[in-house]
Amino acid sequence: MYDIIIIGGGIAGLTSALYASRAGKSVLVLEEASYGGAIINTLDIANYPGISHISGYELATNLYEQVKELKVSIVNEKALKIKNMRNKKQVITKNNVYEGKAIILATGRNNRKLGLLHEDELIGKGLSYCATCDGAFYRGKVVSVVGGGNTALEDALYLSTIAKEVYLIHRRDTFRGDDITINLLKKKDNVHFIFNSTISKFKITDHRLSGIVIKNSQEETILVDALFVAIGREPKNEIVKNLVKLDDNGYIIINQKCHTNIKGIFAAGDNCRKSLYQLVTATSDGAIAAEEAVLYLNKKKG
């Protein structure tokens, strides 16, 4: 039995593992995909205190190696179910049942989809949710980005360096992202802004995306080789929707100490309800959740 089981190997989860292990607790991290979470797709992080510039992959890898040095168990398995029992918690995966005395939920968020017909079948065929992952496939081609936050702006800026033309589509007339990035985009001759518009349907040729239909005061078709969707994220809390309290948008409700409504179950990171979703708040949540879990275990032991 582990002292603490952490579900999610992103920045919040790995930070929790770092702090919990350093406090002398046995820790298991369950991660269904790759360590680091969404931040590994960020090419340049310039707002993390004390580090002027670092890639998301490099930062996540450094943290991962730091945690591994502490002999933390990191297992690539997807948690399918959690049981809250009287003296322990169980986390069930496809092949195993893990037991722990406390749990930290750090499952992060998924990319939000447009919800259009044929969206799923076009993924990898001209439709992507990660510009830094797939942008290189469209070097010298015409691409589009939909969204108005920092992710969409950064995607468009990155794609402007490799694509022939970039269409940035936003449903409003102003962006929500940083002014610095907006100003950099305005200086790019190959970036075109399309405001007050949404994507209503896809144009498909030979089972691949070949264009998008833009809807504003009228409809028009833009021929593109790729569309990168950056319209936000949704919390990955399906596993706990009948276990801990969630808000109307599916985020875990926690207090300032990262406690859920269930004793011994804590939460950290982007799957929680909070006012700011940033790298620095993910590390803060991870540290707080770990310290609170350690305090909970020490009190039980005492």
Side-chain angles (χ1 to χ4, degrees):
M1 180 184 293
Y2 292 91
D3 289 321
I4 301 172
I5 298 176
I6 300 168
I7 302 177
I11 297 299
L14 290 176
T15 302
S16 288
L18 177 68
Y19 274 75
S21 182
R22 287 178 60 85
K25 303 303 180 184
S26 59
V27 179
L28 168 66
V29 177
L30 291 174
E31 168 54 51
E32 63 178 283
S34 175
Y35 66 83
I39 200 66
I40 63 173
N41 298 318
T42 301
L43 289 178
D44 183 37
I45 299 168
N47 62 351
Y48 194 76
I51 303 176
S52 297
H53 294 280
I54 190 171
S55 72
Y57 177 78
E58 184 181 1
L59 180 67
T61 300
N62 290 345
L63 179 54
Y64 174 81
E65 295 296 339
Q66 190 177 9
V67 171
K68 288 293 288 183
E69 288 178 2
L70 297 173
K71 309 301 181 184
V72 171
S73 297
I74 302 177
V75 178
N76 285 112
E77 290 185 38
K78 182 179 181 178
L80 301 175
K81 188 175 181 180
I82 299 173
K83 290 185 178 181
N84 180 37
M85 308 173 79
R86 183 174 181 180
N87 295 313
K88 62 184 178 182
K89 323 290 184 186
Q90 282 188 343
V91 181
I92 301 168
T93 68
K94 182 178 179 180
N95 298 316
N96 293 291
V97 176
Y98 297 99
E99 294 186 341
K101 301 171 185 176
I103 287 177
I104 297 175
L105 303 168
T107 48
R109 296 189 289 181
N110 280 323
N111 293 309
R112 182 176 287 120
K113 295 184 177 182
L114 292 168
L116 297 179
L117 189 65
H118 306 301
E119 185 166 359
D120 287 341
E121 63 192 72
L122 286 173
I123 295 173
K125 299 176 182 178
L127 182 65
S128 172
Y129 301 89
C130 178
T132 54
C133 304
D134 302 324
F137 295 117
Y138 303 97
R139 187 176 299 276
K141 297 188 176 183
V142 178
V143 302
S144 53
V145 177
V146 58
N150 280 324
T151 300
L153 296 176
E154 290 167 3
D155 284 355
L157 188 61
Y158 165 66
L159 290 167
S160 70
T161 65
I162 58 176
K164 179 181 179 181
E165 305 287 339
V166 180
Y167 291 92
L168 180 54
I169 304 153
H170 184 37
R171 60 180 177 171
R172 298 190 176 94
D173 58 358
T174 56
F175 293 112
R176 303 187 309 276
D178 295 335
D179 288 340
I180 292 175
T181 312
I182 294 171
N183 291 332
L184 287 173
L185 284 170
K186 287 180 178 178
K187 296 177 181 178
K188 295 283 187 176
D189 293 335
N190 64 336
V191 176
H192 313 286
F193 300 99
I194 302 178
F195 293 110
N196 299 310
S197 302
T198 58
I199 298 174
S200 60
K201 63 181 71 172
F202 303 120
K203 180 178 175 60
I204 302 171
T205 304
D206 295 329
H207 307 291
R208 291 188 59 86
L209 180 77
S210 58
I212 50 177
V213 178
I214 303 298
K215 184 177 181 182
N216 37 53
S217 58
Q218 57 185 10
E219 282 195 344
E220 63 174 311
T221 299
I222 300 176
L223 299 181
V224 297
D225 298 293
L227 169 65
F228 295 90
V229 181
I231 56 173
R233 296 187 175 95
E234 298 171 324
K236 296 169 61 177
N237 288 328
E238 296 84 0
I239 189 176
V240 295
K241 64 181 180 181
N242 296 318
L243 180 64
V244 301
K245 285 185 178 180
L246 308 178
D247 69 8
D248 293 339
N249 294 313
Y251 288 90
I252 298 174
I253 298 173
I254 56 173
N255 63 15
Q256 291 182 336
K257 295 183 177 181
C258 293
H259 291 233
T260 70
N261 62 303
I262 303 296
K263 287 185 177 181
I265 299 182
F266 308 85
D270 286 0
N271 58 328
C272 301
R273 183 176 70 180
K274 54 185 180 178
S275 60
L276 182 64
Y277 295 91
Q278 288 287 304
L279 181 61
V280 69
T281 61
T283 56
S284 174
D285 286 352
I288 293 170
E291 290 295 301
E292 289 299 308
V294 169
L295 182 61
Y296 164 80
L297 293 176
N298 290 345
K299 284 183 176 179
K300 282 191 67 175
K301 185 177 180 180

